[in-house]
């Protein structure tokens, strides 16, 4: 593996891209990140060039959804980007995204103010898109060679092989209040893990549904991984909505760290698949 010196400073406006850059061995070239880039730990020490316009700490899921929806209705941005600070860093590459305006800074919000800088816009919608996006990021960073996606593909294939064709009916929720069906790359992971989710939207954005719709899907397993919530916060949210969850009639409930797994299009999607498959089939190993 070798890196050309032409790309010495990278600004990442996408948490998933930050993770990919470190996994590619380019962490020492990341000059700044967003306020949500918390993995790996080294990224937390880097300058932050964004901040949220909403104070959401400590709020329950329903209140967060109302505030985000209210901002969208008013046309208010969810993030402030310090484009002046980015320009002062004189980056060789800025990475932005076009997938979800709630999860990270949308490229459209910065493209006009960063004219003249090299901007890589990533827009993955499927698991394959994510893997190809990692390769594109490596190429844009002038990485001569990387075996990262080869290793990730091997892990994905190994997980599918370990599942061995087993299947269980279930529903995966990316948010709980209101419930959101699984979208984008997550349905690919569900299929690979052996979870048959009739509400999943492969390659499409996650959308709000109702708890009645979840119950009508007759899930044997309910997987809860609220976007941006760590394990403790996800478990607290699930506990708060215990009655709604019980009303779905599911026989088993799995609560996962949405922030670490599933929500971000990066290398840890392989971990996500392995974790989900382990949870689904632990008693049949």
């Amino acid at each position: 593996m070798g890196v050309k010196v032409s790309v010495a400073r990278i600004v990442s406006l996408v948490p998933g891209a930050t993770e990919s850059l470190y996994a590619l061995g380019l962490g020492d070239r990341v000059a700044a990140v967003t306020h949500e880039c918390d993995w790996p730990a080294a990224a937390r020490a880097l300058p932050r060039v964004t901040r949220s316009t909403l104070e959401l700490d400590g709020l329950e899921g329903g209140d967060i959804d109302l505030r985000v929806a209210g901002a969208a209705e008013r046309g208010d941005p969810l993030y402030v980007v310090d484009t002046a600070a980015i320009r002062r860093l004189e980056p060789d590459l800025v990475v932005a995204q076009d997938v979800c305006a709630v999860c990270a800074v949308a490229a459209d919000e910065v493209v006009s103010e960063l004219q003249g800088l090299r901007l890589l816009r990533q827009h993955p919608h499927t698991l394959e898109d994510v893997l190809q996006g990692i390769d594109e990021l490596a190429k844009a960073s002038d990485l001569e060679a990387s075996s990262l996606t080869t290793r990730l593909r091997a892990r994905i294939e190994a997980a599918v092989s370990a599942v061995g064709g087993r299947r269980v009916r279930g529903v995966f929720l990316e948010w709980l209040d209101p419930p959101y069906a699984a979208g984008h790359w997550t349905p690919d992971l569900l299929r690979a893990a052996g979870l048959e989710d009739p509400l999943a939207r492969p390659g499409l954005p996650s959308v709000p549904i109702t708890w009645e719709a979840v119950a009508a899907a007759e899930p044997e397993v309910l997987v809860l991984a609220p976007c941006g919530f760590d394990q403790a916060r996800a478990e607290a949210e699930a506990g708060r909505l215990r009655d709604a969850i019980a009303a779905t009639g599911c026989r088993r409930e799995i609560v996962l760290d949405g922030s670490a797994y599933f929500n971000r299009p990066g290398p840890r999607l392989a971990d996500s698949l392995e974790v989900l498959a382990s949870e689904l089939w632990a008693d049949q190993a």
Side-chain angles (χ1 to χ4, degrees):
M1 174 184 305
V3 179
K4 298 178 182 178
V5 297
S6 58
V7 177
R9 288 181 300 279
I10 304 171
V11 171
S12 173
L13 301 180
V14 192
T18 299
E19 296 185 16
S20 295
L21 287 164
Y22 273 88
L24 286 164
L26 297 168
D28 60 345
R29 287 167 173 74
V30 181
V33 295
T34 77
H35 63 287
E36 293 184 333
C37 293
D38 56 6
W39 185 268
R44 302 172 193 168
L46 293 174
R48 299 181 176 189
V49 291
T50 71
R51 64 175 176 82
S52 174
T53 61
L54 302 177
E55 181 53 61
L56 304 176
D57 290 345
L59 294 182
E60 296 176 343
D63 292 329
I64 293 175
D65 186 73
L66 286 173
R67 292 200 182 186
V68 171
E73 185 176 342
R74 295 188 301 271
D76 296 339
L78 298 179
Y79 302 102
V80 172
V81 185
D82 191 343
T83 52
I86 293 175
R87 284 194 171 280
R88 286 196 296 271
L89 289 168
E90 298 182 344
D92 304 298
L93 180 68
V94 178
V95 187
Q97 61 89 36
D98 295 298
V99 179
C100 177
V102 175
C103 297
V105 176
D108 283 342
E109 295 182 22
V110 297
V111 64
S112 62
E113 297 186 49
L114 295 179
Q115 286 185 1
L117 297 181
R118 186 180 175 201
L119 181 67
L120 174 64
R121 302 175 69 144
Q122 298 205 303
H123 42 85
H125 297 288
T126 66
L127 180 58
E128 180 60 28
D129 289 345
V130 174
L131 296 172
Q132 291 182 10
I134 293 173
D135 283 335
E136 291 170 0
L137 182 59
K139 182 177 180 180
S141 303
D142 287 339
L143 194 64
E144 293 178 354
S146 172
S147 61
L148 176 58
T149 53
T150 299
R151 299 195 305 272
L152 293 174
R153 290 180 189 279
R155 288 172 58 190
I156 292 168
E157 291 175 4
V160 171
S161 178
V163 169
R166 291 173 291 188
R167 292 291 181 267
V168 63
R169 187 177 179 87
V171 170
F172 184 106
L173 297 178
E174 296 189 5
W175 193 253
L176 306 186
D177 189 10
Y180 271 67
H184 291 311
W185 48 83
T186 297
D188 298 334
L189 298 173
L190 303 185
R191 285 195 300 271
L195 185 72
E196 295 184 344
D197 184 347
L199 302 182
R201 294 164 49 84
L204 298 173
S206 177
V207 295
I209 55 177
T210 64
W211 284 106
E212 289 76 15
V214 177
E218 299 181 343
E220 180 176 334
V221 180
L222 198 59
V223 183
L224 313 175
C227 185
F229 280 17
D230 62 16
Q231 187 70 36
R233 199 170 179 189
E235 290 176 357
E237 187 76 353
R240 186 176 68 83
L241 296 166
R242 179 61 48 208
D243 290 346
I245 292 170
T248 66
C250 67
R251 298 180 182 178
R252 188 154 55 112
E253 170 193 333
I254 299 172
V255 182
L256 297 175
D257 183 335
S259 182
Y261 307 114
F262 299 101
N263 304 156
R264 296 178 180 177
R268 285 197 291 175
L269 290 186
D271 301 70
S272 306
L273 171 56
E274 293 163 349
V275 168
L276 178 58
S278 176
E279 290 284 348
L280 286 175
W281 310 113
D283 59 347
Q284 299 182 34

